Amino acid sequence: MTQFDAIILGAGAAGLMAAISAGRRGRRVLLLDHAEEPGKKILISGGGRCNFTNLHCAPDRFVSANPHFAKSALSRYTQHDFIGMVRKHGIPFHEKTLGQLFCDGSARAIVAMLLAEAEAVGVDLRCGQRISAVEKPDGFRVTTQSGAFTAPALVLATGGLSIPKMGATGLAHEIARRFSLPLVAPRPGLVPFTFQGAPLELMRGLSGVALPAIARCGKRAFPEAMLFTHRGLSGPAILQISSYWQEGTPIALDLLPGLDAATVLRERKRARPKAEPKTILAELLPQRLAQAMAEAHLPLPRMADLPDRALDALAAQLKRWELLPAGTEGYAKAEVTLGGIDTDALSSRSLEAKAVPGLFAVGEAVDVTGWLGGYNFQWAWASGWVAGEAL
Ligand code: FDA
């Protein structure tokens, strides 16, 4: 068969969901992917356990040039709808932290669930397909090495540019451009920061040290864990703030969240004047970080030797450590791609292109990016589902 009601490019999270949603409505759906198996990012997600949604999903947890755009899809296919599907398939899961739902076992269960749902509604899934042409003579015609397929509707679900090693390509963006849909400049999101010079030297020495912190950039603040790496900074708090960071601007770190550091340091000096500064700091911070901070800022042997103003200066630094990232680790390490197909060009109800009837874009290809914590999959499920309802 070469004629379908809808052709979906990309059998990832959003494409599979669009196929299921359209298939349930009796549409004949062709789902094409160049990879040898579908849902590869689902398989590696959440450390192999797939953080498949978030209990606290809400539109304000997404980055987009239009912060209102995601509201419609997210309210019509919610985290509870997806949880319902997971329960229906008897997949055990748990809340890890901050509303993040993970499989108890392997992420394979989520892919198996989606494949079972797709098969049940007759989706024609073909992997290993090299898409060589997409044309619109009347409806849409997609050519692969297996031949040409036509349909009145085409869904762009090939995701963003993150992790090219896993098969990410800019196909959705390229096709969008060809149909004159505008793009918001793509950039890596949920990505570790790199540093240069003295900060990098310090961070290298602390590589592997993790601690709770608050990462800030502009008005945004994320209280989560952070990690020093041999190239700079990573960990959830850093990944979260990276999606709000603009090149050339600083970030600020609170390494002692919830603590009045100046008061605590002064009190400990009074209580234990003979203690070494690094010993006192190691009660508040991981040992290697405490030692590095003591060497850099408290160069005298005993707490009693240090004037209060030296303690205050260190406290201020620990509460607001301003750093200028040199850059990020780029698409090779970014969990997501910010930017993408401009939401102005799409209907928020159906994800259909306003100027090209029959052309849809869903998932990460669109300029909607979630926070870390299951939000990106929820956007993929929701946008895929509502597009499928309009196919
Ligand atoms: P996705 O990338 O899933 O699918 C795109 C599909 O299109 C792929 O199957 C690909 O092979 C195919 N394709 C690409 N180019 C093509 C071409 N030229 N021709 C044909 N097919 C093509 N999110 C979350 O909510 N919880 C989590 O736990 C994680 N964890 C995580 C870990 C890691 C390491 C990464 C990189 C990302 C995450 N994410 C995540 C993000 C999440 O994986 C991502 O947002 C969704 O997979 C996006 O779904 P899409 O369907 O839009 O793209």
Side-chain angles (χ1 to χ4, degrees):
M1 186 159 110
T2 59
Q3 261 190 314
F4 294 84
D5 294 323
I7 300 173
I8 301 175
L9 304 184
L16 279 161
M17 204 56 161
I20 293 164
S21 159
R24 283 160 64 111
R25 295 174 49 255
R27 298 293 185 265
R28 291 165 306 151
V29 178
L30 175 65
L31 179 54
L32 297 173
D33 203 295
H34 68 166
E36 290 309 319
E37 61 175 330
K40 276 169 79 173
K41 271 196 188 160
I42 302 175
L43 293 176
I44 59 152
S45 68
R49 290 187 192 274
C50 186
N51 176 195
F52 55 79
T53 193
N54 193 295
L55 288 174
H56 310 309
C57 190
D60 64 353
R61 280 136 199 248
F62 293 82
V63 184
S64 170
N66 176 357
H68 303 292
F69 182 82
K71 286 180 182 168
S72 173
L74 291 172
S75 69
R76 285 167 47 224
Y77 189 87
T78 71
Q79 58 273 40
H80 305 292
D81 292 316
F82 193 77
I83 294 166
M85 189 189 279
V86 171
R87 284 195 201 283
K88 185 179 108 189
H89 285 259
I91 300 170
F93 63 91
H94 60 279
E95 179 185 349
K96 194 169 170 193
T97 172
L98 302 171
Q100 301 168 5
L101 301 189
F102 284 75
C103 297
D104 290 354
S106 161
R108 279 208 175 270
I110 298 292
V111 176
M113 171 188 86
L114 295 167
L115 291 178
E117 291 277 334
E119 198 184 338
V121 295
V123 172
D124 187 342
L125 166 64
R126 304 192 196 185
C127 288
Q129 296 291 312
R130 276 192 323 281
I131 291 151
S132 52
V134 173
E135 294 145 307
K136 192 175 185 313
D138 182 12
F140 293 89
R141 185 168 62 212
V142 175
T143 309
T144 77
Q145 78 275 20
S146 311
F149 306 97
T150 57
L154 178 72
V155 182
L156 307 179
T158 53
L161 304 171
S162 305
I163 325 268
K165 257 198 339 212
M166 291 207 52
T169 71
L171 184 67
H173 298 172
E174 276 164 40
I175 297 174
R177 260 190 226 107
R178 214 173 318 140
F179 285 102
S180 301
L181 304 190
L183 290 186
V184 173
R187 61 191 172 90
L190 299 180
V191 63
F193 283 129
T194 57
F195 288 84
Q196 285 171 349
L200 178 61
E201 285 312 307
L202 175 70
M203 290 166 190
R204 267 201 188 129
L206 294 170
S207 178
V209 172
L211 71 157
I214 301 174
R216 291 195 168 86
C217 184
K219 288 186 188 140
R220 292 285 167 175
F222 288 96
E224 285 189 58
M226 61 163 277
L227 172 73
F228 291 94
T229 73
H230 65 288
R231 300 189 65 187
L233 297 175
S234 187
I238 298 299
L239 300 185
Q240 297 279 35
I241 212 69
S242 74
S243 293
Y244 291 91
W245 178 73
Q246 301 288 341
E247 238 177 280
T249 59
I251 60 163
L253 301 176
D254 179 349
L255 302 181
L256 293 171
L259 211 69
D260 177 347
T263 305
V264 171
L265 288 177
R266 282 170 178 238
E267 278 170 6
R268 297 210 181 172
K269 172 178 157 181
R270 310 271 176 270
R272 286 149 66 202
K274 290 185 185 154
E276 283 186 77
K278 68 174 185 215
T279 310
I280 296 296
L281 280 183
E283 291 164 7
L284 308 173
L285 294 167
Q287 190 152 11
R288 277 163 64 201
L289 177 58
Q291 177 142 8
M293 288 293 170
E295 277 166 15
H297 300 281
L298 305 174
L300 294 169
R302 298 176 320 149
M303 287 300 279
D305 303 328
L306 297 162
D308 282 353
R309 64 172 189 285
L311 297 179
D312 291 351
L314 175 61
Q317 162 101 348
L318 293 174
K319 291 299 286 179
R320 195 174 170 83
W321 188 14
E322 290 227 6
L323 288 159
L324 188 62
T328 72
E329 294 202 26
Y331 290 120
K333 289 285 164 63
E335 241 178 61
V336 286
T337 302
L338 293 155
I341 299 171
D342 193 331
T343 58
D344 271 357
L346 304 173
S347 150
S348 62
R349 259 197 88 70
S350 63
L351 282 298
E352 186 173 16
K354 290 174 189 164
V356 190
L359 181 64
F360 295 73
V362 295
E364 203 178 312
V366 177
D367 173 33
V368 174
T369 307
W371 287 2
L372 188 79
Y375 298 98
N376 284 296
F377 278 138
Q378 188 55 40
W379 169 246
W381 315 135
S383 58
W385 184 266
V386 300
E389 289 205 315
L391 290 173

